Amino acid sequence: MGIVAGLDSSPDFTRIVVCDTDTGAVLRQGYAPHPVDTPDGGGRPSDVDPQAWLLSLGEAAGGGLLEGVQAIGVSTQQNALVPLDAQGNTVRPALVGGDKRAQVAAADLVDALGGREAWAQAVGSVPQAAQPVTKLRWLAKNEPENAQRTAVLLQAHDWLVWQLLGRPVRRTTDRGGASGTGYWSAATGGYRPDLVELSLGHQAMLPEVIGPSDAAGTTPEGLLISAGTGETMAAAFGLGIGLGDAVVSLGASGSVMAVHPEALADQSGMITSLADATGMHLPVVTTLNAVRTLRGTAELLGLPDLESLSDLAMKSTPGSHGLVLLPYLEGERTPQLPHTAGTLAGLRRESMKAEHLARASFEGMLCGLADALDVLRGRGVEVRRVFLLGAAAELPAVQAAAPSLFGAQVVVPQPADYAAIGAARQAAWALGVSQGTLDPRTPPAWHGAAAQVLEPGEELAVGQAVRQQFVSVREQTHPGAFRP
């Protein structure tokens, strides 16, 4: 069939991969950082001119990278809100990232609709500071003139697709991106314009939600542009996960998501009910404390890096000689304990050794993520394999403990640009459907990610005993807080 491209516009850079449409083999790659000034004191800006994304895209595609490409898929950072006026110009810079400014707005919105359960039923998620619906509320309260001028609401991938197509009258998005806005329901497949009005103060135009294999349009040069999607959905699609698969991402905080045939409304708000890039659903459970638990322990023990912490942990044994770390260092979302702190239990003379604390930090982090997996399992989500992502997934102490604590086969994919690959796979699907060579319901069968596969094996019983030790301490310390 030819070649297609996938571009991933993350918060910091643009990556482009050019792939063979039949196999998914990566033929060429491009990269460029975003020309964005970081605010004083470091960290990422909360406001970004979307033109920075276009400049970065142009640089990443330099040197004839896209020569011969027939279709492009676009994946971008999620939750970036681009407010446009009636003429299609940006009203203000895009609101991006976690945006802590919007935390009060999130609480306001929860109350305005009648509580967490009302939101979970309405759109499958409870407003968080990062979500576009919350950013609209912040805009209405803090920049009323800009809010009044806002006539069209786009996310980052919607805006980039629209630009690539030459800013046509029709504006589109996909189910994956729409499901993260807080004003579209994955369960009903429809927008909630009343929630836009509740947050912004008036109605605004919303992009048309097109299907996973649909094309958003064709450029004047004849290049097909697929629907596009958010980074999370694109990475899941690039990994090739399906029913029975879960993905555990180890960042400073952690997330667990799995493919499921239906949307899950969760009145506790622990599950965010997203849609994926294939027509299925992608329920997500987040923990606030993952790799930050390891970094904190390494600093406490005077170790220079996580590799040293892992080496030390491997000198201990499963169960850390009775030490249990509840890793709720920043408060926690799963379970819902926003104002708590971490707990170290089981201190005895024989357990007060550096290697046991090192091991307890790994076990505490993984048990917290196993709790998140249990939230999904408790709602009928099948988990046979767990894909483990993030640099910490390579650490021996993680790989030694994860399969038995998760009670499942663990797959550690080789590092790759999975979001960009997922975007390219979406482009190949839309191209194949437009040419009549692919079924709109069945994505192209690309080669799966090269990966290391770890089985729980004989360690399963030991791992489950360690989990039980963790659960006992959690229940004693925070009785009734966790209801999977």
Side-chain angles (χ1 to χ4, degrees):
M1 275 167 59
I3 58 173
V4 291
L7 72 89
D8 175 35
S9 180
S10 83
D12 301 317
F13 56 78
T14 299
R15 286 195 193 279
I16 301 177
V17 296
V18 176
C19 299
D20 179 278
T21 48
D22 294 327
T23 65
V26 177
L27 308 174
R28 304 194 287 267
Q29 300 181 61
Y31 167 86
H34 287 173
V36 173
D37 294 330
T38 55
D40 294 340
R44 289 183 181 138
S46 298
D47 297 332
V48 173
D49 182 348
Q51 294 296 328
W53 306 332
L54 275 182
L55 290 168
S56 176
L57 193 166
E59 191 181 333
L65 184 77
L66 299 179
E67 205 171 305
V69 165
Q70 296 164 278
I72 292 180
V74 176
S75 148
T76 64
Q77 59 180 304
Q78 282 155 248
N79 298 320
L81 178 71
V82 187
L84 304 179
D85 63 18
Q87 286 71 48
N89 301 312
T90 49
V91 168
R92 68 178 315 286
L95 291 141
V96 301
D99 211 340
K100 290 186 175 175
R101 296 177 298 187
Q103 282 172 338
V104 172
D108 277 355
L109 280 180
V110 171
D111 292 342
L113 195 64
R116 301 171 66 83
E117 187 172 347
W119 278 97
Q121 291 295 338
V123 289
S125 63
V126 178
Q128 305 289 336
Q131 282 182 297
V133 72
T134 308
K135 288 169 176 166
L136 289 178
R137 181 71 157 204
W138 180 89
L139 195 64
K141 295 284 185 189
N142 294 275
E143 299 178 5
E145 288 181 10
N146 284 337
Q148 203 54 48
R149 287 176 53 218
T150 298
V152 182
L153 301 176
L154 298 181
Q155 292 188 86
H157 84 265
D158 311 336
W159 188 84
L160 275 173
V161 164
W162 184 57
Q163 295 290 330
L164 289 171
L165 291 172
R167 296 164 61 108
V169 173
R170 181 190 188 215
R171 299 179 182 92
T172 61
T173 190
D174 85 307
R175 294 169 66 255
S179 66
T181 59
Y183 43 80
W184 185 88
S185 165
T188 65
Y191 279 116
R192 288 288 303 262
D194 58 315
L195 300 182
V196 173
E197 189 162 347
L198 180 71
S199 52
L200 184 62
H202 61 88
Q203 293 292 347
M205 279 186 63
L206 301 167
E208 177 189 345
V209 181
I210 61 176
S213 61
D214 292 343
T218 307
T219 68
E221 299 76 33
L223 196 63
L224 184 136
I225 309 292
S226 64
T229 195
E231 248 176 348
T232 298
M233 299 79 189
F237 196 42
L239 280 167
I241 69 167
L243 289 173
D245 291 334
V247 177
V248 172
S249 294
L250 299 175
S253 54
S255 69
V256 176
M257 62 182 177
V259 179
H260 197 57
E262 59 194 39
L264 296 177
D266 173 42
Q267 62 191 43
S268 74
M270 281 198 290
I271 298 175
T272 298
S273 193
L274 300 178
D276 80 346
T278 72
M280 301 280 269
H281 294 269
L282 207 60
V284 180
V285 180
T286 303
T287 69
L288 293 183
N289 301 279
V291 176
R292 64 165 43 100
T293 307
L294 305 182
R295 293 205 184 284
T297 308
E299 286 169 18
L300 180 66
L301 294 173
L303 298 172
D305 50 40
L306 297 186
E307 287 73 19
S308 305
L309 184 71
S310 173
D311 291 345
L312 186 60
M314 293 300 282
K315 294 176 181 172
S316 180
T317 51
S320 311
H321 272 249
L323 271 193
V324 175
L325 178 64
L326 299 184
Y328 308 151
L329 309 183
E330 299 276 322
E332 191 45 86
R333 273 185 65 180
T334 308
Q336 190 79 33
L337 295 165
H339 306 300
T340 194
T343 303
L344 184 62
L347 282 170
R348 291 188 177 85
R349 181 66 191 87
E350 63 271 18
S351 65
M352 295 176 73
K353 290 185 177 172
E355 61 264 33
H356 302 324
L357 177 56
R359 177 95 189 189
S361 70
F362 283 95
E363 291 177 346
M365 175 187 78
L366 293 170
C367 284
L369 290 159
D371 278 352
L373 271 172
D374 282 352
V375 171
L376 296 178
R377 284 177 168 134
R379 294 297 304 277
V381 177
E382 187 182 8
V383 179
R384 289 194 306 269
R385 292 193 298 178
V386 174
F387 284 73
L388 205 52
L389 302 186
E394 304 286 336
L395 296 172
V398 169
Q399 295 191 3
S404 62
L405 292 177
F406 292 160
Q409 183 188 77
V410 168
V411 180
V412 184
Q414 285 182 1
D417 300 321
Y418 290 110
I421 291 167
R425 190 179 177 206
Q426 189 192 60
W429 195 5
L431 180 66
V433 169
S434 76
Q435 295 174 338
T437 56
L438 286 177
D439 187 318
R441 292 157 304 188
T442 311
W446 281 10
H447 299 322
Q452 192 177 357
V453 178
L454 309 166
E455 300 283 357
E458 295 173 3
E459 296 293 313
L460 183 58
V462 174
Q464 294 312 292
V466 173
R467 265 303 306 280
Q468 193 50 54
Q469 184 176 267
F470 178 90
V471 168
S472 297
V473 172
R474 190 195 64 220
E475 279 303 303
Q476 284 167 9
T477 314
H478 305 287
F482 185 68
R483 291 273 179 268

